[in-house]
Amino acid sequence: MRNDVVVVISTYNGAKNIERQLDSIFCQIGVVVSVFVRDDNSSDDTVDVIEKYKKKTGNSIELVAGENEGYARSFWDALKSAPEASYYAFSDQDDVWNPDKLKKCIKVMDKDESLPQLSYCRMTRTDSTLNPLDEQVNVLKPEQLSKKLVLTQTFNYGAATVINKSARDIASHHFPYSGKVPHDAWVGLLCYWFGKVHYVDEALYNWIRYDDSVTGEGTKFSGIKFRIKETIAGKTYQNVSSDLIDYYSELLTREDKDYLIMMRDYKSRKKYKMALLFDKELKRDTRLGTLMLKYGILINKF
């Protein structure tokens, strides 16, 4: 198995910080790295900064400027458009990686190239000068996961994620455009359901929080605040049952397909709704999250 990795980045107004992150990517040891960037129609000079960086360093960077789609779909389009490689890794535009991040995430994967595989690690949440912050991110371990939990729960934060080519191929088959399903959550779900996930219990990168960070804080307080706000607005967790049935039916067991049909049709079948409401295995990792999920089902907003 080769050790070539394409690092996939979706940029948006990241001119201030993208160079430092690119430096940390191209300082990775034990792997052959190239970068594929899709710019999501930045209004600053992100594209110019990347082009100048490429000319200055001579590093392998492919850059595509696209229309604004939002980070989730932009990442998916970037992954789908990226060149062939043995492995792919998502990267934020403004973090700093440890030199052995990719090497360690690849090492834990099986040698079976036909099996969709994903590995993920912990991170250190820091300020812009890389000082650790008081509140860190709770990363779920594989033994805490289940098929029903990963239907609504992201366990592999984007920048923590490395996948093999088979995982990239299965993820490129379809993306749920109907809602705001994060790219990392979708890839994680597919690999857990149809492949294999691996965990590196080390903090292998600095997840830097800026005042203008595009993605959420990833902490307990901010997560609660965001989820309550979304629920009040009638937006609960994304129901991807139709996506799995319509595009991955041949990979589903009979039992899994029956359950997904129940999730898909619960609004019109009272017995399905009651079954989901009282299913103790359909949950989130927190009580509040589970309550919000069940509330969404109750009011037909899941």
Side-chain angles (χ1 to χ4, degrees):
M1 187 70 177
R2 297 178 298 169
N3 63 346
D4 55 309
V5 188
V6 173
V7 177
V8 177
I9 309 176
S10 171
T11 55
Y12 182 73
N13 293 347
K16 293 181 180 179
N17 304 303
I18 186 65
E19 287 191 72
R20 180 165 69 165
Q21 171 61 332
L22 288 172
D23 283 342
S24 74
I25 290 172
F26 285 108
C27 283
Q28 294 295 298
I29 60 173
V31 292
V32 178
V33 177
S34 62
V35 170
F36 185 89
V37 181
R38 182 191 183 278
D39 186 74
D40 201 31
N41 198 25
S42 294
S43 58
D44 68 359
D45 58 345
T46 299
V47 170
D48 291 337
V49 169
I50 295 172
E51 291 285 10
K52 290 178 182 178
Y53 181 92
K54 179 180 178 180
K55 291 179 180 178
K56 179 179 68 175
T57 63
N59 288 326
S60 178
I61 302 174
E62 184 175 349
L63 173 63
V64 175
E67 297 298 318
N68 185 264
E69 301 178 325
Y71 78 93
R73 181 171 174 177
S74 181
F75 262 110
W76 183 79
D77 280 342
L79 178 65
K80 188 175 181 180
S81 302
E84 293 293 300
S86 300
Y87 301 98
Y88 298 83
F90 292 126
S91 170
D92 292 338
Q93 65 186 7
D94 50 12
D95 294 334
V96 173
W97 289 4
N98 292 7
D100 56 356
K101 176 184 182 293
L102 293 178
K103 178 182 177 181
K104 287 185 174 179
C105 285
I106 289 172
K107 186 178 180 180
V108 298
M109 292 191 196
D110 296 342
K111 294 182 180 180
D112 185 356
E113 298 179 23
S114 66
L115 182 70
Q117 296 186 63
L118 175 152
S119 66
Y120 65 108
C121 62
R122 291 190 288 108
M123 71 292 291
T124 301
R125 186 170 173 267
T126 73
D127 62 20
S128 60
T129 57
L130 306 188
N131 294 309
L133 300 177
D134 291 338
E135 188 175 0
Q136 293 298 317
V137 180
N138 177 39
V139 178
L140 296 178
K141 298 180 180 180
E143 57 267 27
Q144 297 175 276
L145 307 177
S146 69
K147 278 190 169 182
K148 292 180 181 179
L149 186 142
V150 301
L151 285 169
T152 62
Q153 177 92 41
T154 304
F155 64 90
N156 55 301
Y157 287 89
T161 299
V162 179
I163 59 176
N164 68 355
K165 183 180 181 300
S166 293
R168 182 260 193 146
D169 292 343
I170 196 173
S172 296
H173 182 59
H174 172 70
F175 186 76
Y177 288 120
S178 59
K180 296 180 179 180
V181 180
H183 60 289
D184 46 2
W186 183 241
V187 172
L189 186 159
L190 293 177
C191 287
Y192 189 86
W193 273 57
F194 306 125
K196 192 171 184 179
V197 301
H198 310 269
Y199 177 61
V200 181
D201 195 8
E202 293 183 61
L204 296 180
Y205 70 99
N206 297 293
W207 191 27
I208 306 170
R209 311 319 297 154
Y210 303 90
D211 292 337
D212 57 350
S213 292
V214 174
T215 54
E217 289 287 334
T219 61
K220 184 176 181 180
F221 177 75
S222 64
I224 291 173
K225 183 178 179 181
F226 172 79
R227 184 48 52 194
I228 291 176
K229 182 180 178 181
E230 290 288 283
T231 302
I232 292 173
K235 302 175 184 177
T236 58
Y237 301 102
Q238 178 68 23
N239 188 336
V240 296
S241 55
S242 292
D243 299 281
L244 292 170
I245 293 169
D246 293 344
Y247 293 93
Y248 299 93
S249 181
E250 72 281 0
L251 301 177
L252 296 171
T253 65
R254 181 70 256 178
E255 181 181 2
D256 288 339
K257 190 170 184 179
D258 288 342
Y259 192 82
L260 292 171
I261 290 172
M262 185 166 64
M263 288 182 63
R264 182 191 65 189
D265 299 339
Y266 82 93
K267 295 179 183 178
S268 59
R269 302 287 298 273
K270 185 177 180 180
K271 68 174 184 178
Y272 288 175
K273 176 183 284 192
M274 296 304 293
L276 295 179
L277 287 173
F278 288 97
D279 185 353
K280 294 182 179 180
E281 294 181 5
L282 181 61
K283 61 181 181 178
R284 298 272 297 180
D285 66 324
T286 65
R287 290 183 179 180
L288 179 61
T290 300
L291 179 63
M292 295 299 180
L293 171 61
K294 301 293 185 175
Y295 177 70
I297 295 171
L298 183 64
I299 64 173
N300 290 340
K301 293 295 184 180
F302 171 58

